[in-house]
Each structure stands twice: as C-alpha cells, then as structure tokens.
Amino acid sequence: RGGGGGRRRPPPPARPRGAPHAALAATDGDWVTIVWDDPVNLMTYVTYVFRSYFGFDEAKAERLMMQVHTKGRAIVSAGGREQQELHVSAMHGYGLLATLERVE
C-alpha cells in the first residue's frame, strides 16, 4: 500500500446521531454500505476511519480493514437506505471508496 505522502485531507464528517456502531447483519435492513479497496489509503488509516466513525473496537476494525485489503471490499454497515447513504457520504468525506447496495 502506498503513501498518501503529504496529502492533506479535509476534516472528517461527524458520525450522525443515532448511527449504529455495529450494524453488520444483512437482516438489519434492506441496504448495506460497502467500502472498497483503493491504491491510496493506508491500512492503518482505513482502520482509524472504521474505529472513529463507526465506533468499532480495534479487533473488529482491523478484521473489516483486512477484508477490504484481501477481498477488495467489506460490508461495514446495514440498515435503512437513508442511514446507509449518510455512511457512504461520510466514507467519501474520509477519502474512502464506498457504495450503497440493496440487499435482496
């Protein structure tokens, strides 16, 4: 994984009030937030984002980061569409690639 060098990021968005801390089961809603691997962000930074935004403990954040790194993607949240749209937008604010997907 490459550097990010001296690239400065804008301040990350605050986690919305009431945002779930560990909503990973697809049964929690009809939509999921997926974070995708990219060639820019360091693994430590992705772990930091998962911990600071979603409130995951270190082990869970690292497990999800490793899914992103090794499998190319990880589902980091599941629930209603509006909430997942907020999460996707927040991930973009942190500079991560993220998408919203409907669970069938």
Side-chain angles (χ1 to χ4, degrees), residues 23-88:
L24 290 179
T27 57
D28 290 345
D30 297 324
W31 298 86
V32 293
T33 298
I34 301 170
V35 173
W36 298 87
D37 193 22
D38 66 64
V40 177
N41 292 298
L42 297 173
M43 293 186 291
T44 53
Y45 178 70
V46 174
T47 301
Y48 162 78
V49 171
F50 291 166
R51 292 192 72 192
S52 62
Y53 178 78
F54 291 106
F56 296 145
D57 63 32
E58 187 173 354
K60 185 174 209 165
E62 287 184 3
R63 180 174 51 81
L64 289 169
M65 173 276 297
M66 285 306 296
Q67 283 181 14
V68 171
H69 180 64
T70 61
K71 296 181 180 180
R73 65 180 240 159
I75 294 173
V76 296
S77 182
R81 181 177 181 153
E82 287 185 30
Q83 189 67 57
Q84 300 317 303
E85 287 174 344
L86 290 172
H87 293 327
V88 168

